[in-house]
């Protein structure tokens, strides 16, 4: 049982082993951006497999997750399509030039949709936003998903204008009890 | 997760699930197979948010037995999740029913709590904080039981109701929406009291599944006289839509039904037939202030003070009374009726005829019955309900009479010095303006599954 003392369980004590790993640095931030679709995953159709790929042999093959993460780490040298980077003229706080462009533009995209100032820099405000409780469903359908089934992306495009426009007339909602 | 194949017929955009037993042995082909399977899984995971996920309107859900939370009673969990489904049902044509008996593969939406590696899911939970739940396009919703989920209005923590409404939104096909006030924002916002699905989220789900349509048995404004603390008499009214055995209060100022409606008739109206009425008429003039409910060949008078039907009328007749006795010359059952304060007539509709009943003379007005098309002629030739009117309604909000049939309505052109007549002086008396869809003027009046009707 999780230990608590007060009647409404508001002092519930969470064992540290059960704490989610926080986003603290660029590496964990990149994992966050990749997990929720801000960084496009590798487009496997563009990857050319030679006969012998020099991938580690069976003994190192410990399980699907590790196996694939092994590949994903190696693929940073692979070319990645640019995510659409609408630079809206914000003067940048000089993100580190050596960081990959994909990481910076993904960071800017996340900052933009989260209502943060779009700096392209992994700053404190971005760190706080990344550590907020959230849903596990990715935020962005990666381009590869969308193009695979044009029908879907068209529908989403059709949906977006509706989602982003205001209702035809102001509709004050009074929060009355149910 | 390896799930039994679900039939593709009732789910568009679904690919067959894969099984683990078909792994090859040769290293190279294993790589290709794993990647292709990975891509297939991703195809399954690769949702098409923004599309309707179900092609049927009644969906079964179940909180799976091995997925109960350890933090809330099972009863609380099921109550909160049932409420979450009801909230979507109140704003869309979808209906949800809890199914604890059918084989799991027949259940459309399966929910469960878990921690870390859970319920055969290939996306691990991360412990307390950050990710609190996720949803899969095929209808699975998982909640991270390491989170401190709470029931509505009870202490700090993460509102299970808000999270459930969000994840159900995903399963129904909604993507994340970055808009203030939207329930589909990716990050959790502590629940302000009384959170509800706002206008834009309603339009988003209706964009996928269509608006709510249907016939109404009756629509009426309920007038009440109240006394303020200064002793003044104030007239208030509320608008009610009734269909079969349930009803909604409609809030004209906020363009929506009351949160939590529809509700079973007997919850709010005591003594009237529980399976629905044909009409409600409020006769209100200098001498009379009486509300009548009509059903079949009978009618009841409603006592506003006691909030129940009267058992006896002022002359000692027992209720329910026969329509033919109380309203001589009016046939029954009727289709609908409304009271017109301008001429103190009750207009009863039946088939293609209309019967104007003079309450003062207690008899049919001279020359009636007449054809509806004669009494309420079409302003645009051919654009007329003809007969079998579902409901007729004088609206104090719009100061106009409306005739409803199926999902459409016709507004009766106003008389005298009105805007209608100012614009088109040649309008026929009581002419019916061109029809419109009910959903264009009265928004989001949606059914819920009968099992969700509070009795």
């Amino acid at each position: 049982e999780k230990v608590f003392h007060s009647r409404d369980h508001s002092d519930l004590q969470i064992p540290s082993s059960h704490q989610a790993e926080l986003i603290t640095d660029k590496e964990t931030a990149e994992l966050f951006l990749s997990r929720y679709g801000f960084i496009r995953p590798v487009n496997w159709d563009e990857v050319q497999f030679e006969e012998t790929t020099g991938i580690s042999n069976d003994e190192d093959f410990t399980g699907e997750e590790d196996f694939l993460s092994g590949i994903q780490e190696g693929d940073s040298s692979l070319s990645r399509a640019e995510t659409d980077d609408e630079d809206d003229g914000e003067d940048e706080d000089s993100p580190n030039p050596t960081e990959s462009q994909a990481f910076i533009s993904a960071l800017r995209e996340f900052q933009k949709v989260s209502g943060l100032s779009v700096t392209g820099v992994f700053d404190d405000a971005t760190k706080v936003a990344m550590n907020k409780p959230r849903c596990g469903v990715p935020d962005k359908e990666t381009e590869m998903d969308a193009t695979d089934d044009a029908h879907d992306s068209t529908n989403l495009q059709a949906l977006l204008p509706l989602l982003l426009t205001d209702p035809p007339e102001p509709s004050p909602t009074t929060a009355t009890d149910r | 997760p390896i799930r039994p194949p679900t039939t593709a017929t009732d789910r568009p955009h679904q690919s067959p699930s894969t099984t683990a037993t078909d792994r090859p042995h040769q290293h190279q082909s294993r790589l290709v197979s794993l990647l292709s399977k990975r891509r297939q899984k991703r195809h399954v995971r690769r949702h098409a948010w923004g599309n309707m996920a179900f092609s049927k309107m009644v969906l079964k859900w179940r909180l799976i037995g091995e997925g109960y939370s350890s933090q809330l009673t099972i009863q609380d969990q099921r109550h909160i999740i049932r409420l979450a489904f009801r909230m979507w049902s109140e704003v869309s044509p979808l209906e949800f029913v809890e199914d604890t008996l059918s084989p799991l593969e027949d259940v459309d939406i399966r929910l469960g709590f878990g921690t870390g590696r859970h319920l055969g899911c290939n996306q691990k939970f991360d412990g307390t904080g950050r990710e609190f739940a996720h949803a899969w396009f095929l209808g699975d919703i998982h909640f991270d039981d390491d989170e401190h989920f709470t029931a509505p209005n009870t202490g700090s923590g993460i509102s299970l109701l808000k999270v459930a409404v969000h994840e159900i939104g995903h399963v129904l096909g909604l993507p994340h929406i970055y808009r203030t006030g939207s329930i589909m924002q990716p990050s959790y916002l502590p629940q302000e009291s009384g959170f509800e699905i706002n206008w834009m989220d309603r339009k988003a789900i209706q964009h996928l599944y269509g608006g709510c349509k249907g016939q109404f048995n009756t629509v009426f404004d309920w007038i009440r006289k109240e006394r303020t603390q200064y002793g003044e008499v104030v007239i208030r009214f509320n608008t009610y839509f009734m269909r079969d055995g349930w009803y909604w209060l409609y809030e004209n100022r906020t363009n929506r039904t009351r949160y939590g409606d529809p509700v079973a008739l007997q919850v709010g109206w005591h003594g009237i037939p529980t399976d629905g009425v044909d009409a409600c008429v409020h006769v209100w003039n200098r001498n009379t202030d009486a509300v009548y409910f009509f059903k079949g060949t009978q009618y009841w008078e409603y006592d506003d003070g006691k909030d129940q039907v009267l058992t006896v009328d002022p002359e000692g007749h027992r209720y329910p009374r026969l329509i033919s006795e109380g309203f001589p010359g009016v046939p029954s059952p009727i289709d609908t009726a409304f009271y017109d304060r301008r001429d103190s007539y009750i207009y009863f509709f039946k088939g293609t005829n209309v019967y104007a009943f003079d309450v003062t003379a207690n008899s049919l007005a001279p020359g009636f019955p007449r054809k509806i098309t004669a009494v309420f002629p079409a302003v645009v030739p051919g654009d007329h309900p003809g007969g079998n009117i579902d409901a007729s309604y004088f609206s104090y909000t719009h100061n106009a009479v409306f005739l409803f049939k199926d999902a459409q309505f016709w507004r009766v052109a106003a008389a005298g010095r009105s805007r209608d007549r100012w614009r088109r002086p040649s309008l026929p008396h009581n002419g019916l303006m061109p029809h419109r869809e009910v959903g264009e003027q009265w928004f989001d009046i949606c059914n819920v599954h009968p099992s969700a009707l509070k009795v």
Side-chain angles (χ1 to χ4, degrees), chain B residues 33-302:
Chain B
S33 158
L34 272 175
L35 289 174
S36 63
K37 186 179 294 137
R38 182 78 184 162
R39 183 178 294 147
Q40 261 193 20
K41 269 193 177 173
R42 288 191 52 212
H43 176 74
V44 168
R45 161 72 180 282
R46 179 179 44 219
H47 39 68
W49 305 126
N51 280 285
M52 68 191 287
F54 296 100
S55 56
K56 55 181 182 175
M57 289 302 170
V58 181
L59 300 173
K60 299 176 196 168
W61 65 270
R62 179 184 302 168
L63 180 56
I64 53 179
E66 61 270 36
Y68 288 134
S69 167
S70 60
Q71 305 179 67
L72 295 160
T73 67
I74 293 175
Q75 194 183 4
D76 276 353
Q77 295 170 48
R78 289 175 60 195
H79 169 74
I80 294 167
I81 288 170
R82 185 176 302 122
L83 177 54
F85 278 110
R86 194 182 209 278
M87 289 174 79
W88 281 115
S89 187
E90 288 172 10
V91 298
S92 70
L94 296 165
E95 293 180 14
F96 303 96
V97 55
E98 183 179 17
D99 181 335
T100 54
L101 301 175
S102 302
L104 196 55
E105 61 264 26
D106 293 344
V107 176
D108 300 294
I109 302 174
R110 296 164 294 274
L111 310 94
F113 290 80
T115 58
R117 179 74 61 199
H118 59 277
L119 302 171
C121 182
N122 67 2
Q123 184 169 331
K124 254 174 34 171
F125 276 138
D126 56 4
T128 306
R130 292 197 45 226
E131 214 167 285
F132 48 64
H134 51 225
W136 295 88
F137 191 63
L138 290 176
D140 293 332
I141 294 175
H142 301 152
F143 303 98
D144 183 352
D145 208 22
D146 272 331
E147 304 303 338
H148 176 31
F149 285 114
T150 56
N153 313 320
T154 53
S156 63
I158 292 195
S159 161
L160 176 58
L161 178 62
K162 260 192 116 170
V163 172
V165 171
H166 177 101
E167 301 303 335
I168 292 168
H170 278 315
V171 161
L172 297 178
L174 289 179
H176 279 150
I177 299 171
Y178 300 91
R179 198 183 42 251
T180 309
S182 170
I183 185 54
M184 296 312 291
Q185 294 177 85
S187 292
Y188 176 77
L189 300 165
Q191 174 180 329
E192 69 283 2
S193 73
F195 112 89
E196 295 289 347
I197 296 176
N198 70 13
W199 168 276
M200 289 307 288
D201 287 348
R202 292 166 181 232
K203 297 313 128 185
I205 196 72
Q206 288 164 20
H207 183 79
L208 302 186
Y209 291 94
C212 298
K213 293 192 167 113
Q215 287 174 299
F216 294 102
N217 292 95
T218 189
V219 185
F220 58 92
D221 281 348
W222 181 263
I223 314 286
R224 297 191 309 284
K225 287 191 280 295
E226 290 174 1
R227 204 168 285 279
T228 65
Q229 67 260 41
Y230 309 110
E232 295 159 337
V233 175
V234 179
I235 308 286
R236 293 193 196 288
F237 73 89
N238 285 107
T239 300
Y240 290 94
F241 284 75
M242 287 188 175
R243 176 185 292 154
D244 299 333
W246 56 86
Y247 72 97
W248 301 258
L249 178 142
Y250 189 79
E251 298 187 356
N252 295 283
R253 279 167 303 138
T254 49
N255 291 329
R256 61 173 171 77
T257 58
R258 173 174 52 192
Y259 295 136
D261 288 357
V263 178
L265 274 189
Q266 61 252 50
V267 169
W269 306 87
H270 307 115
I272 66 174
T274 55
D275 59 349
V277 298
D278 295 329
C280 172
V281 170
H282 183 190
V283 177
W284 183 31
N285 54 40
R286 249 187 307 277
N287 316 317
T288 312
D289 180 0
V291 175
Y292 302 104
F293 283 97
F294 298 81
K295 173 73 180 203
T297 58
Q298 299 176 311
Y299 73 97
W300 292 255
E301 185 176 350
Y302 203 81

Side-chain angles (χ1 to χ4, degrees), chain A residues 21 37 63 92 121 163:
Chain A
E21 186 197 336
E92 298 176 25
V121 172
L163 301 184

Side-chain angles (χ1 to χ4, degrees), chain B residues 320-342:
Chain B
R321 292 191 66 194
L322 289 177
I323 294 175
S324 54
E325 288 172 2
F327 302 91
V330 174
S332 60
I334 57 172
D335 293 335
T336 185
F338 78 95
Y339 175 69
D340 191 333
R341 296 187 65 215
R342 293 169 301 177

Side-chain angles (χ1 to χ4, degrees), chain A residues 40 81-87 105-106 109 112 140 143:
Chain A
R40 236 167 55 75
E82 283 302 311
T83 49
D84 47 351
D85 176 15
E86 296 141 29
D87 182 356
S105 56
E109 178 66 17
K112 184 179 163 202
K140 289 178 70 61
E143 217 173 275

Side-chain angles (χ1 to χ4, degrees), chain B residues 335-373:
Chain B
D335 293 335
T336 185
F338 78 95
Y339 175 69
D340 191 333
R341 296 187 65 215
R342 293 169 301 177
D343 52 22
S344 298
Y345 288 170
I346 301 175
Y347 287 82
F348 290 95
F349 295 81
K350 184 177 175 67
T352 56
N353 290 328
V354 57
Y355 302 74
F357 186 84
D358 184 338
V359 294
T360 315
N362 202 44
S363 66
L364 280 188
F368 284 87
R370 295 175 57 195
K371 286 297 177 189
I372 297 175
T373 48

